[in-house]
Amino acid sequence: MASSADGFHALDEKALLEYIKATPALAKQLGNQFEGLQIKEVGDGNLNFVFIVISQSGSLVIKQAIPYVRCIGESWPMAKERAYFESKTLIEHGRLSPDHVPEVYHFDRAMCLIGMRYIEPPHIILRKGLIAGTEYPLLAEHISDYMAKTLYFTSLLYLTTTDHKRAVAEYCGNVELCRLTEQVIFSDPYKLSKYNRCTTPYLDADAEAVRKDDILKLEVAELKSKFCQNTQALIHGDLHTGSVMVTQNSTQVIDPEFSFYGPMGFDIGAYIGNLILAYFAQDGHATSENDRKAYKSWILRTLEETWKLFHQKFTALWDEHKDGPGEAYLPEIYNTAELQLLVQRKYMEDLFHDSLGFGAAKMIRRIVGVAHVEDFESISEAEKRANCERQALNFAKTLLKERRKFKSIDEVISAIQQVQS
Amino acid sequence: MASSADGFHALDEKALLEYIKATPALAKQLGNQFEGLQIKEVGDGNLNFVFIVISQSGSLVIKQAIPYVRCIGESWPMAKERAYFESKTLIEHGRLSPDHVPEVYHFDRAMCLIGMRYIEPPHIILRKGLIAGTEYPLLAEHISDYMAKTLYFTSLLYLTTTDHKRAVAEYCGNVELCRLTEQVIFSDPYKLSKYNRCTTPYLDADAEAVRKDDILKLEVAELKSKFCQNTQALIHGDLHTGSVMVTQNSTQVIDPEFSFYGPMGFDIGAYIGNLILAYFAQDGHATSENDRKAYKSWILRTLEETWKLFHQKFTALWDEHKDGPGEAYLPEIYNTAELQLLVQRKYMEDLFHDSLGFGAAKMIRRIVGVAHVEDFESISEAEKRANCERQALNFAKTLLKERRKFKSIDEVISAIQQVQS
C-alpha cells in the first residue's frame, strides 16, 4: 500500500499485522503471539476504521482515522489529525478517571493510529443496551464520576490560567471536528440541507416547523456561540450513549475525537439528551410480553441520579480543592461557607441550564438532522417510529426554549412524564 | 550594554540612536537625518519605556517592553513578549480602523521593540483632556467607529471558525498580561492585598465593604469567568481613557499590549467606565470660575452617543456582511428581517449588560485597587477626593449588581444623574 508524503497510509488487515509485529508496545499486549491472530474490522461509527485484534495471550484495538467522513465518503473531507486529539484526551481523561477510560498503549501521529485496550465482551455499546431494555445499576454512579472528574479538573476551578490557556491553544487545532459539530447540530437542522432527513412523510411538517421556529433559532444561536467561544473545560465533545460501553459492573467512555475546550454543558447535555431519546423510543420497542413501563421508569431514575450524583461529586471536588491551583474563585475572596455555597449554587444552576439546552439541541438533531439514532431507527414501523420521534422532538423544543424555567432535574422528569400522561 | 542570551537588551537614549541608524525602516522615517536628533523618554505608564524621536525631517516613537512591571519594579516580573502581541494588534486593528490606530513602522521580536508613528502635539492623552475640561466633539463618533470595526471584524459574526480558532490559539500566548488583569481587576479589590490602596482614612470603610459584599463578589466571579473563557473577539484589553490620544479632530488608540480574544464588553466597559470616573471627578476640579456643570453634561452626552453610535455602527456592519464569511448566524437560518432583528436585539442586549458589568468592575478597581486614575489623584484635597471617589464607587457597585435591569444607556445616565441630585 502506497504511503502518502506525510507518512500516512490506511491499513487493511494484512498491513495491520505487519504494523503490530513491528511495534513493540502493541506486540507486547498480544504476548508477542501472532499465530492464529484474529483481526476484525468493526468500525460502525461515522468516521474511522476500528480493528479488534485478539491473540492467544492478549488483545487490543487499533483505531485509525482516515481523511474523510467514512459514512459520507471522500466528498466530505475531515482532518485525520483528529486522532491526535482523541489520543491526547484518552490519556488525559484516563489519568483523571482511569476506571472509565480505556488505556492507550501506542499512538502514531503520522499514521493517525491509536492502539488501545480492547473493551471485551460482555461490554456492549450503551445505546444497544438501552434498546434491549437492560438495566445498568452502576451506570449513573460511573458516568457521573467520569463527568465530574474530567470536567472539574480541566476547568479554571482547578487549573491555573496559564495551564488552561496553554491547553486551550493546543485544542484549537481540532477545529475541523468543531466545525462538523457546528454544522450538524447547530446549523443543518434549522435550514434546508441535503444531509437532513426525517421519518417522511410523517415528520415532514415537524421538520419544517423546526426551520420556521424563530424563538428556537434564537436560542440555538446562543448555544452555538457558547460552543464556539466558551473554553470552560476539556470536553469529550460527543458524549452520547453510542460513546459509552457497559456491562453490569463496568462503564467505559470511548471516542473523544471531538474533544476540545468547550462548555461543560455540551457533554452533560449530550449524555442526558440521549438518555431522554432512549426513553421516548421505548414505546416503539414495547411488546405484548414487555410494555417497557418498568424500563422507562428505570431510565428516568438513571437520568435523575446522573445529574444529582454529578452535582454532588463535582461540588465535592470543588470543596476538596478550593485551596488548590485554580484561580477562578480565590479562597481569600470566597472566604465564608455561605458565600462558597452561593457561588456554587449559581455556577451549578448555569451549568444545569446549559446542559438542558445542549441536551435538547442534541435530541433535535437526531430526529431532523443527518445522523439518526438506532433507538428510533430500529423501530421498523415508520408511523410508530414517527410518533415516538415526534414526542421526543416536541419535548426537546420545549426544553430548549424553556430551559431556564427548570429549577431541578425532578422538574425535567415531571415534564417528560407529562408528555405521555 | 550587555545583551541577554535571547538577544534582548534594554535600550537607553545612546543605544537607541545606534539602533535607529542601523534599522532602515526607522531611519527612513527620520529622513536619514540624525544631526540634532532629539530623543526623549516619556513612558509614564505602568509597564514600558517609550522614547519620542524627532529629527529635522521626521519623527517616530520607540516603545520597548521590559521583563517586569515598571511601576512596581523587578519584584513583579512580566513577560516582555507582550510587545509581540501589542505590535500584532496595532497592525490588525490598524488595518480595520486605520484612522484611529497609529501605524507600525518596525517590530523587533527579540528586542521587544516597536517603532511606530509619533502621535504629535496637540494630541494629548484623553484622560488629561477630561481633567482639563476640554470637549472633543468628534470623540464619540471616532471611538465608536474604532470599537465597532475592531470588535465586529474579529468576532465570529465575521470570521470563520477556522480563522477565529487560529487567532484565539495564538493570543493564548499573551497569558501573563491576562493574568495581570485577572489579579488587579477581578481579584485584588475584593480581598486584602498589599498592592491595594485607597484615599485613607476616608474610604477605608468603603474598601472593606467591597471586600464583604457577597453579591458583588458573586457577580464579579461571573465577569471574571467571561474574561478568562469567552473568546468573543480580539479586544484591546486596556481601553481606558489613558489609552486614547485626542485633538479636536483626531482620536488615536494606543497601547494594546493586553490584547487577546476576550469578551467585547471588556473593551466597551473599560472605556465607558473611565468616562463615568471622569464625570464623578469633575466636582473635585470645579472652581468658582467654572463649576464644571456644562462639562459634566458633555461627558454624559458623550457617554450616550458612544453607546448609541457603537450600536448603530456595529449592527450596520452586521447587516452589511450578513452574507459574508462569518458562521455564527447563517443567512439560510436567520432568513427573515424580523428574525435578524430579533437575534441582533438579543446579542446587543447581552453585550450592553456585559459592558456595564465590566465598566463597573473597572471603576471599582481604580478606587480601591492598586492602580488609580489621575482624574481623582489630581484632586489634592483628600476629603474632597474621597467624596468624589465614594460617589463613583457606590454607583459602580449598583451598576455591577443591577446591570441586567438597565434597558438602555439613557437609563444608565438617569441613574448617574440621580447620584448627585
Side-chain angles (χ1 to χ4, degrees), chain B residues 274-305:
Chain B
N274 276 271
L275 274 189
I276 301 173
L277 288 178
Y279 173 89
F280 282 110
Q282 293 303 317
D283 287 355
H285 304 310
T287 60
S288 50
E289 292 83 47
N290 185 349
D291 64 7
R292 296 279 181 131
K293 277 193 181 152
Y295 194 62
K296 284 164 72 174
S297 296
W298 178 81
I299 293 179
L300 293 186
R301 251 185 354 262
T302 296
L303 177 62
E304 179 193 341
E305 283 173 18

PDB file of all heavy atoms in Angstrom, chain B residues 274-305:
ATOM      1  N   ASN B 274     -14.426  54.449  32.447  1.00  0.00           N
ATOM      2  CA  ASN B 274     -13.488  55.545  32.690  1.00  0.00           C
ATOM      3  C   ASN B 274     -14.097  56.912  32.373  1.00  0.00           C
ATOM      4  O   ASN B 274     -13.750  57.908  33.009  1.00  0.00           O
ATOM      5  CB  ASN B 274     -12.183  55.311  31.944  1.00  0.00           C
ATOM      6  CG  ASN B 274     -11.238  54.407  32.742  1.00  0.00           C
ATOM      7  OD1 ASN B 274     -10.451  54.889  33.548  1.00  0.00           O
ATOM      8  ND2 ASN B 274     -11.363  53.099  32.579  1.00  0.00           N
ATOM      9  N   LEU B 275     -15.034  56.957  31.414  1.00  0.00           N
ATOM     10  CA  LEU B 275     -15.776  58.205  31.194  1.00  0.00           C
ATOM     11  C   LEU B 275     -16.585  58.556  32.442  1.00  0.00           C
ATOM     12  O   LEU B 275     -16.658  59.726  32.853  1.00  0.00           O
ATOM     13  CB  LEU B 275     -16.742  58.076  30.014  1.00  0.00           C
ATOM     14  CG  LEU B 275     -16.257  58.337  28.595  1.00  0.00           C
ATOM     15  CD1 LEU B 275     -17.465  58.363  27.651  1.00  0.00           C
ATOM     16  CD2 LEU B 275     -15.481  59.644  28.477  1.00  0.00           C
ATOM     17  N   ILE B 276     -17.201  57.528  33.029  1.00  0.00           N
ATOM     18  CA  ILE B 276     -18.020  57.779  34.227  1.00  0.00           C
ATOM     19  C   ILE B 276     -17.134  58.215  35.402  1.00  0.00           C
ATOM     20  O   ILE B 276     -17.501  59.095  36.184  1.00  0.00           O
ATOM     21  CB  ILE B 276     -18.889  56.549  34.580  1.00  0.00           C
ATOM     22  CG1 ILE B 276     -19.822  56.211  33.402  1.00  0.00           C
ATOM     23  CG2 ILE B 276     -19.706  56.800  35.842  1.00  0.00           C
ATOM     24  CD1 ILE B 276     -20.608  54.910  33.556  1.00  0.00           C
ATOM     25  N   LEU B 277     -15.945  57.619  35.505  1.00  0.00           N
ATOM     26  CA  LEU B 277     -14.996  58.085  36.535  1.00  0.00           C
ATOM     27  C   LEU B 277     -14.674  59.564  36.307  1.00  0.00           C
ATOM     28  O   LEU B 277     -14.630  60.363  37.257  1.00  0.00           O
ATOM     29  CB  LEU B 277     -13.698  57.273  36.488  1.00  0.00           C
ATOM     30  CG  LEU B 277     -13.741  55.834  36.990  1.00  0.00           C
ATOM     31  CD1 LEU B 277     -12.364  55.177  36.812  1.00  0.00           C
ATOM     32  CD2 LEU B 277     -14.173  55.757  38.452  1.00  0.00           C
ATOM     33  N   ALA B 278     -14.432  59.930  35.059  1.00  0.00           N
ATOM     34  CA  ALA B 278     -14.115  61.330  34.742  1.00  0.00           C
ATOM     35  C   ALA B 278     -15.267  62.235  35.172  1.00  0.00           C
ATOM     36  O   ALA B 278     -15.054  63.338  35.710  1.00  0.00           O
ATOM     37  CB  ALA B 278     -13.857  61.480  33.241  1.00  0.00           C
ATOM     38  N   TYR B 279     -16.489  61.746  34.969  1.00  0.00           N
ATOM     39  CA  TYR B 279     -17.679  62.515  35.365  1.00  0.00           C
ATOM     40  C   TYR B 279     -17.677  62.768  36.881  1.00  0.00           C
ATOM     41  O   TYR B 279     -17.822  63.892  37.337  1.00  0.00           O
ATOM     42  CB  TYR B 279     -18.937  61.747  34.949  1.00  0.00           C
ATOM     43  CG  TYR B 279     -20.219  62.345  35.450  1.00  0.00           C
ATOM     44  CD1 TYR B 279     -20.894  63.307  34.701  1.00  0.00           C
ATOM     45  CD2 TYR B 279     -20.759  61.966  36.680  1.00  0.00           C
ATOM     46  CE1 TYR B 279     -22.072  63.887  35.174  1.00  0.00           C
ATOM     47  CE2 TYR B 279     -21.932  62.528  37.154  1.00  0.00           C
ATOM     48  CZ  TYR B 279     -22.591  63.487  36.398  1.00  0.00           C
ATOM     49  OH  TYR B 279     -23.746  64.042  36.875  1.00  0.00           O
ATOM     50  N   PHE B 280     -17.488  61.696  37.639  1.00  0.00           N
ATOM     51  CA  PHE B 280     -17.563  61.852  39.097  1.00  0.00           C
ATOM     52  C   PHE B 280     -16.379  62.637  39.662  1.00  0.00           C
ATOM     53  O   PHE B 280     -16.424  63.092  40.803  1.00  0.00           O
ATOM     54  CB  PHE B 280     -17.693  60.488  39.788  1.00  0.00           C
ATOM     55  CG  PHE B 280     -19.079  59.912  39.714  1.00  0.00           C
ATOM     56  CD1 PHE B 280     -19.356  58.810  38.930  1.00  0.00           C
ATOM     57  CD2 PHE B 280     -20.117  60.495  40.422  1.00  0.00           C
ATOM     58  CE1 PHE B 280     -20.645  58.279  38.856  1.00  0.00           C
ATOM     59  CE2 PHE B 280     -21.409  59.985  40.364  1.00  0.00           C
ATOM     60  CZ  PHE B 280     -21.677  58.870  39.566  1.00  0.00           C
ATOM     61  N   ALA B 281     -15.315  62.772  38.887  1.00  0.00           N
ATOM     62  CA  ALA B 281     -14.160  63.554  39.350  1.00  0.00           C
ATOM     63  C   ALA B 281     -14.366  65.052  39.140  1.00  0.00           C
ATOM     64  O   ALA B 281     -13.643  65.872  39.724  1.00  0.00           O
ATOM     65  CB  ALA B 281     -12.891  63.098  38.622  1.00  0.00           C
ATOM     66  N   GLN B 282     -15.316  65.426  38.303  1.00  0.00           N
ATOM     67  CA  GLN B 282     -15.452  66.841  37.927  1.00  0.00           C
ATOM     68  C   GLN B 282     -15.685  67.765  39.128  1.00  0.00           C
ATOM     69  O   GLN B 282     -15.136  68.864  39.180  1.00  0.00           O
ATOM     70  CB  GLN B 282     -16.579  67.023  36.895  1.00  0.00           C
ATOM     71  CG  GLN B 282     -16.295  66.396  35.541  1.00  0.00           C
ATOM     72  CD  GLN B 282     -15.013  66.905  34.892  1.00  0.00           C
ATOM     73  OE1 GLN B 282     -14.735  68.110  34.915  1.00  0.00           O
ATOM     74  NE2 GLN B 282     -14.219  65.991  34.355  1.00  0.00           N
ATOM     75  N   ASP B 283     -16.478  67.342  40.093  1.00  0.00           N
ATOM     76  CA  ASP B 283     -16.725  68.206  41.257  1.00  0.00           C
ATOM     77  C   ASP B 283     -15.423  68.551  41.975  1.00  0.00           C
ATOM     78  O   ASP B 283     -15.310  69.622  42.585  1.00  0.00           O
ATOM     79  CB  ASP B 283     -17.703  67.532  42.238  1.00  0.00           C
ATOM     80  CG  ASP B 283     -19.131  67.533  41.698  1.00  0.00           C
ATOM     81  OD1 ASP B 283     -19.358  68.136  40.622  1.00  0.00           O
ATOM     82  OD2 ASP B 283     -20.001  66.931  42.348  1.00  0.00           O
ATOM     83  N   GLY B 284     -14.477  67.644  41.890  1.00  0.00           N
ATOM     84  CA  GLY B 284     -13.178  67.903  42.503  1.00  0.00           C
ATOM     85  C   GLY B 284     -12.348  68.929  41.728  1.00  0.00           C
ATOM     86  O   GLY B 284     -11.383  69.470  42.249  1.00  0.00           O
ATOM     87  N   HIS B 285     -12.686  69.127  40.469  1.00  0.00           N
ATOM     88  CA  HIS B 285     -11.952  70.083  39.642  1.00  0.00           C
ATOM     89  C   HIS B 285     -12.694  71.403  39.510  1.00  0.00           C
ATOM     90  O   HIS B 285     -12.182  72.342  38.904  1.00  0.00           O
ATOM     91  CB  HIS B 285     -11.722  69.499  38.233  1.00  0.00           C
ATOM     92  CG  HIS B 285     -11.025  68.174  38.236  1.00  0.00           C
ATOM     93  ND1 HIS B 285      -9.859  67.953  38.934  1.00  0.00           N
ATOM     94  CD2 HIS B 285     -11.329  66.987  37.652  1.00  0.00           C
ATOM     95  CE1 HIS B 285      -9.492  66.682  38.765  1.00  0.00           C
ATOM     96  NE2 HIS B 285     -10.369  66.072  38.001  1.00  0.00           N
ATOM     97  N   ALA B 286     -13.906  71.494  40.083  1.00  0.00           N
ATOM     98  CA  ALA B 286     -14.705  72.715  39.956  1.00  0.00           C
ATOM     99  C   ALA B 286     -14.032  73.873  40.706  1.00  0.00           C
ATOM    100  O   ALA B 286     -13.403  73.677  41.751  1.00  0.00           O
ATOM    101  CB  ALA B 286     -16.105  72.474  40.512  1.00  0.00           C
ATOM    102  N   THR B 287     -14.150  75.044  40.142  1.00  0.00           N
ATOM    103  CA  THR B 287     -13.624  76.259  40.792  1.00  0.00           C
ATOM    104  C   THR B 287     -14.749  77.284  40.806  1.00  0.00           C
ATOM    105  O   THR B 287     -15.816  77.057  40.235  1.00  0.00           O
ATOM    106  CB  THR B 287     -12.446  76.833  39.988  1.00  0.00           C
ATOM    107  OG1 THR B 287     -12.919  77.161  38.675  1.00  0.00           O
ATOM    108  CG2 THR B 287     -11.300  75.841  39.881  1.00  0.00           C
ATOM    109  N   SER B 288     -14.477  78.420  41.442  1.00  0.00           N
ATOM    110  CA  SER B 288     -15.511  79.458  41.466  1.00  0.00           C
ATOM    111  C   SER B 288     -15.780  79.997  40.062  1.00  0.00           C
ATOM    112  O   SER B 288     -16.883  80.435  39.753  1.00  0.00           O
ATOM    113  CB  SER B 288     -15.090  80.588  42.406  1.00  0.00           C
ATOM    114  OG  SER B 288     -13.772  80.998  42.079  1.00  0.00           O
ATOM    115  N   GLU B 289     -14.765  79.924  39.187  1.00  0.00           N
ATOM    116  CA  GLU B 289     -14.986  80.398  37.807  1.00  0.00           C
ATOM    117  C   GLU B 289     -15.711  79.360  36.952  1.00  0.00           C
ATOM    118  O   GLU B 289     -16.418  79.699  36.014  1.00  0.00           O
ATOM    119  CB  GLU B 289     -13.646  80.712  37.106  1.00  0.00           C
ATOM    120  CG  GLU B 289     -12.914  81.915  37.681  1.00  0.00           C
ATOM    121  CD  GLU B 289     -12.110  81.519  38.893  1.00  0.00           C
ATOM    122  OE1 GLU B 289     -11.393  80.508  38.829  1.00  0.00           O
ATOM    123  OE2 GLU B 289     -12.216  82.198  39.938  1.00  0.00           O
ATOM    124  N   ASN B 290     -15.470  78.098  37.254  1.00  0.00           N
ATOM    125  CA  ASN B 290     -16.034  77.044  36.407  1.00  0.00           C
ATOM    126  C   ASN B 290     -16.570  75.915  37.278  1.00  0.00           C
ATOM    127  O   ASN B 290     -15.791  75.152  37.862  1.00  0.00           O
ATOM    128  CB  ASN B 290     -14.937  76.517  35.449  1.00  0.00           C
ATOM    129  CG  ASN B 290     -15.493  75.500  34.467  1.00  0.00           C
ATOM    130  OD1 ASN B 290     -16.627  75.022  34.607  1.00  0.00           O
ATOM    131  ND2 ASN B 290     -14.693  75.161  33.464  1.00  0.00           N
ATOM    132  N   ASP B 291     -17.877  75.844  37.378  1.00  0.00           N
ATOM    133  CA  ASP B 291     -18.473  74.807  38.244  1.00  0.00           C
ATOM    134  C   ASP B 291     -18.495  73.441  37.583  1.00  0.00           C
ATOM    135  O   ASP B 291     -18.921  72.458  38.180  1.00  0.00           O
ATOM    136  CB  ASP B 291     -19.875  75.222  38.690  1.00  0.00           C
ATOM    137  CG  ASP B 291     -20.831  75.340  37.510  1.00  0.00           C
ATOM    138  OD1 ASP B 291     -20.447  74.981  36.362  1.00  0.00           O
ATOM    139  OD2 ASP B 291     -21.967  75.805  37.729  1.00  0.00           O
ATOM    140  N   ARG B 292     -18.063  73.369  36.306  1.00  0.00           N
ATOM    141  CA  ARG B 292     -17.970  72.110  35.549  1.00  0.00           C
ATOM    142  C   ARG B 292     -19.344  71.482  35.240  1.00  0.00           C
ATOM    143  O   ARG B 292     -19.385  70.335  34.791  1.00  0.00           O
ATOM    144  CB  ARG B 292     -17.083  71.087  36.306  1.00  0.00           C
ATOM    145  CG  ARG B 292     -15.633  71.539  36.448  1.00  0.00           C
ATOM    146  CD  ARG B 292     -14.842  71.267  35.160  1.00  0.00           C
ATOM    147  NE  ARG B 292     -13.449  71.680  35.280  1.00  0.00           N
ATOM    148  CZ  ARG B 292     -12.407  70.900  34.939  1.00  0.00           C
ATOM    149  NH1 ARG B 292     -12.625  69.690  34.461  1.00  0.00           N
ATOM    150  NH2 ARG B 292     -11.185  71.351  35.062  1.00  0.00           N
ATOM    151  N   LYS B 293     -20.410  72.208  35.512  1.00  0.00           N
ATOM    152  CA  LYS B 293     -21.725  71.602  35.241  1.00  0.00           C
ATOM    153  C   LYS B 293     -21.932  71.338  33.759  1.00  0.00           C
ATOM    154  O   LYS B 293     -22.428  70.274  33.362  1.00  0.00           O
ATOM    155  CB  LYS B 293     -22.844  72.511  35.761  1.00  0.00           C
ATOM    156  CG  LYS B 293     -23.083  72.310  37.247  1.00  0.00           C
ATOM    157  CD  LYS B 293     -24.365  72.958  37.719  1.00  0.00           C
ATOM    158  CE  LYS B 293     -24.508  72.721  39.221  1.00  0.00           C
ATOM    159  NZ  LYS B 293     -25.279  73.769  39.892  1.00  0.00           N
ATOM    160  N   ALA B 294     -21.553  72.323  32.944  1.00  0.00           N
ATOM    161  CA  ALA B 294     -21.722  72.146  31.494  1.00  0.00           C
ATOM    162  C   ALA B 294     -20.848  70.993  31.011  1.00  0.00           C
ATOM    163  O   ALA B 294     -21.249  70.195  30.152  1.00  0.00           O
ATOM    164  CB  ALA B 294     -21.348  73.435  30.766  1.00  0.00           C
ATOM    165  N   TYR B 295     -19.664  70.894  31.582  1.00  0.00           N
ATOM    166  CA  TYR B 295     -18.760  69.821  31.151  1.00  0.00           C
ATOM    167  C   TYR B 295     -19.289  68.449  31.563  1.00  0.00           C
ATOM    168  O   TYR B 295     -19.171  67.477  30.816  1.00  0.00           O
ATOM    169  CB  TYR B 295     -17.356  70.053  31.701  1.00  0.00           C
ATOM    170  CG  TYR B 295     -16.342  69.174  31.001  1.00  0.00           C
ATOM    171  CD1 TYR B 295     -16.123  69.319  29.628  1.00  0.00           C
ATOM    172  CD2 TYR B 295     -15.641  68.186  31.682  1.00  0.00           C
ATOM    173  CE1 TYR B 295     -15.234  68.503  28.957  1.00  0.00           C
ATOM    174  CE2 TYR B 295     -14.734  67.362  31.018  1.00  0.00           C
ATOM    175  CZ  TYR B 295     -14.534  67.520  29.662  1.00  0.00           C
ATOM    176  OH  TYR B 295     -13.652  66.716  28.987  1.00  0.00           O
ATOM    177  N   LYS B 296     -19.877  68.392  32.750  1.00  0.00           N
ATOM    178  CA  LYS B 296     -20.474  67.120  33.162  1.00  0.00           C
ATOM    179  C   LYS B 296     -21.575  66.685  32.189  1.00  0.00           C
ATOM    180  O   LYS B 296     -21.699  65.503  31.852  1.00  0.00           O
ATOM    181  CB  LYS B 296     -21.012  67.235  34.594  1.00  0.00           C
ATOM    182  CG  LYS B 296     -19.887  67.194  35.636  1.00  0.00           C
ATOM    183  CD  LYS B 296     -20.309  67.672  36.996  1.00  0.00           C
ATOM    184  CE  LYS B 296     -21.215  66.696  37.694  1.00  0.00           C
ATOM    185  NZ  LYS B 296     -21.490  67.133  39.094  1.00  0.00           N
ATOM    186  N   SER B 297     -22.359  67.657  31.741  1.00  0.00           N
ATOM    187  CA  SER B 297     -23.393  67.323  30.751  1.00  0.00           C
ATOM    188  C   SER B 297     -22.760  66.813  29.458  1.00  0.00           C
ATOM    189  O   SER B 297     -23.267  65.882  28.828  1.00  0.00           O
ATOM    190  CB  SER B 297     -24.250  68.554  30.430  1.00  0.00           C
ATOM    191  OG  SER B 297     -24.936  68.954  31.569  1.00  0.00           O
ATOM    192  N   TRP B 298     -21.657  67.443  29.093  1.00  0.00           N
ATOM    193  CA  TRP B 298     -20.984  66.989  27.867  1.00  0.00           C
ATOM    194  C   TRP B 298     -20.484  65.536  28.016  1.00  0.00           C
ATOM    195  O   TRP B 298     -20.627  64.722  27.111  1.00  0.00           O
ATOM    196  CB  TRP B 298     -19.809  67.908  27.495  1.00  0.00           C
ATOM    197  CG  TRP B 298     -19.099  67.386  26.266  1.00  0.00           C
ATOM    198  CD1 TRP B 298     -19.469  67.555  24.979  1.00  0.00           C
ATOM    199  CD2 TRP B 298     -17.928  66.535  26.248  1.00  0.00           C
ATOM    200  NE1 TRP B 298     -18.625  66.883  24.133  1.00  0.00           N
ATOM    201  CE2 TRP B 298     -17.660  66.252  24.889  1.00  0.00           C
ATOM    202  CE3 TRP B 298     -17.094  66.003  27.243  1.00  0.00           C
ATOM    203  CZ2 TRP B 298     -16.587  65.453  24.499  1.00  0.00           C
ATOM    204  CZ3 TRP B 298     -16.027  65.206  26.848  1.00  0.00           C
ATOM    205  CH2 TRP B 298     -15.779  64.935  25.489  1.00  0.00           C
ATOM    206  N   ILE B 299     -19.927  65.221  29.161  1.00  0.00           N
ATOM    207  CA  ILE B 299     -19.456  63.836  29.370  1.00  0.00           C
ATOM    208  C   ILE B 299     -20.623  62.858  29.238  1.00  0.00           C
ATOM    209  O   ILE B 299     -20.525  61.833  28.562  1.00  0.00           O
ATOM    210  CB  ILE B 299     -18.770  63.664  30.751  1.00  0.00           C
ATOM    211  CG1 ILE B 299     -17.462  64.463  30.818  1.00  0.00           C
ATOM    212  CG2 ILE B 299     -18.485  62.180  31.015  1.00  0.00           C
ATOM    213  CD1 ILE B 299     -16.734  64.360  32.163  1.00  0.00           C
ATOM    214  N   LEU B 300     -21.752  63.191  29.845  1.00  0.00           N
ATOM    215  CA  LEU B 300     -22.899  62.276  29.772  1.00  0.00           C
ATOM    216  C   LEU B 300     -23.432  62.173  28.345  1.00  0.00           C
ATOM    217  O   LEU B 300     -23.828  61.094  27.905  1.00  0.00           O
ATOM    218  CB  LEU B 300     -24.001  62.714  30.738  1.00  0.00           C
ATOM    219  CG  LEU B 300     -23.652  62.609  32.226  1.00  0.00           C
ATOM    220  CD1 LEU B 300     -24.877  62.925  33.082  1.00  0.00           C
ATOM    221  CD2 LEU B 300     -23.097  61.233  32.593  1.00  0.00           C
ATOM    222  N   ARG B 301     -23.419  63.283  27.633  1.00  0.00           N
ATOM    223  CA  ARG B 301     -23.844  63.235  26.228  1.00  0.00           C
ATOM    224  C   ARG B 301     -22.902  62.343  25.418  1.00  0.00           C
ATOM    225  O   ARG B 301     -23.320  61.559  24.569  1.00  0.00           O
ATOM    226  CB  ARG B 301     -23.847  64.649  25.631  1.00  0.00           C
ATOM    227  CG  ARG B 301     -25.245  65.152  25.382  1.00  0.00           C
ATOM    228  CD  ARG B 301     -25.342  66.485  24.678  1.00  0.00           C
ATOM    229  NE  ARG B 301     -24.168  67.243  24.415  1.00  0.00           N
ATOM    230  CZ  ARG B 301     -23.719  68.259  25.158  1.00  0.00           C
ATOM    231  NH1 ARG B 301     -24.360  68.605  26.275  1.00  0.00           N
ATOM    232  NH2 ARG B 301     -22.647  68.925  24.802  1.00  0.00           N
ATOM    233  N   THR B 302     -21.611  62.476  25.710  1.00  0.00           N
ATOM    234  CA  THR B 302     -20.612  61.664  25.002  1.00  0.00           C
ATOM    235  C   THR B 302     -20.792  60.176  25.320  1.00  0.00           C
ATOM    236  O   THR B 302     -20.696  59.325  24.440  1.00  0.00           O
ATOM    237  CB  THR B 302     -19.193  62.133  25.405  1.00  0.00           C
ATOM    238  OG1 THR B 302     -19.043  63.472  24.945  1.00  0.00           O
ATOM    239  CG2 THR B 302     -18.123  61.260  24.777  1.00  0.00           C
ATOM    240  N   LEU B 303     -21.086  59.898  26.590  1.00  0.00           N
ATOM    241  CA  LEU B 303     -21.358  58.517  27.001  1.00  0.00           C
ATOM    242  C   LEU B 303     -22.550  57.965  26.224  1.00  0.00           C
ATOM    243  O   LEU B 303     -22.493  56.854  25.661  1.00  0.00           O
ATOM    244  CB  LEU B 303     -21.639  58.523  28.509  1.00  0.00           C
ATOM    245  CG  LEU B 303     -22.014  57.209  29.175  1.00  0.00           C
ATOM    246  CD1 LEU B 303     -20.886  56.207  29.043  1.00  0.00           C
ATOM    247  CD2 LEU B 303     -22.336  57.444  30.654  1.00  0.00           C
ATOM    248  N   GLU B 304     -23.605  58.740  26.176  1.00  0.00           N
ATOM    249  CA  GLU B 304     -24.815  58.328  25.465  1.00  0.00           C
ATOM    250  C   GLU B 304     -24.524  58.079  23.984  1.00  0.00           C
ATOM    251  O   GLU B 304     -24.875  57.042  23.419  1.00  0.00           O
ATOM    252  CB  GLU B 304     -25.885  59.415  25.618  1.00  0.00           C
ATOM    253  CG  GLU B 304     -27.180  59.103  24.899  1.00  0.00           C
ATOM    254  CD  GLU B 304     -28.094  60.336  24.802  1.00  0.00           C
ATOM    255  OE1 GLU B 304     -27.904  61.302  25.583  1.00  0.00           O
ATOM    256  OE2 GLU B 304     -28.977  60.339  23.921  1.00  0.00           O
ATOM    257  N   GLU B 305     -23.847  59.045  23.372  1.00  0.00           N
ATOM    258  CA  GLU B 305     -23.553  58.938  21.933  1.00  0.00           C
ATOM    259  C   GLU B 305     -22.619  57.764  21.648  1.00  0.00           C
ATOM    260  O   GLU B 305     -22.732  57.110  20.618  1.00  0.00           O
ATOM    261  CB  GLU B 305     -22.903  60.219  21.416  1.00  0.00           C
ATOM    262  CG  GLU B 305     -23.892  61.348  21.206  1.00  0.00           C
ATOM    263  CD  GLU B 305     -23.193  62.649  20.857  1.00  0.00           C
ATOM    264  OE1 GLU B 305     -22.006  62.607  20.447  1.00  0.00           O
ATOM    265  OE2 GLU B 305     -23.830  63.703  21.004  1.00  0.00           O
TER     266      GLU B 305
END
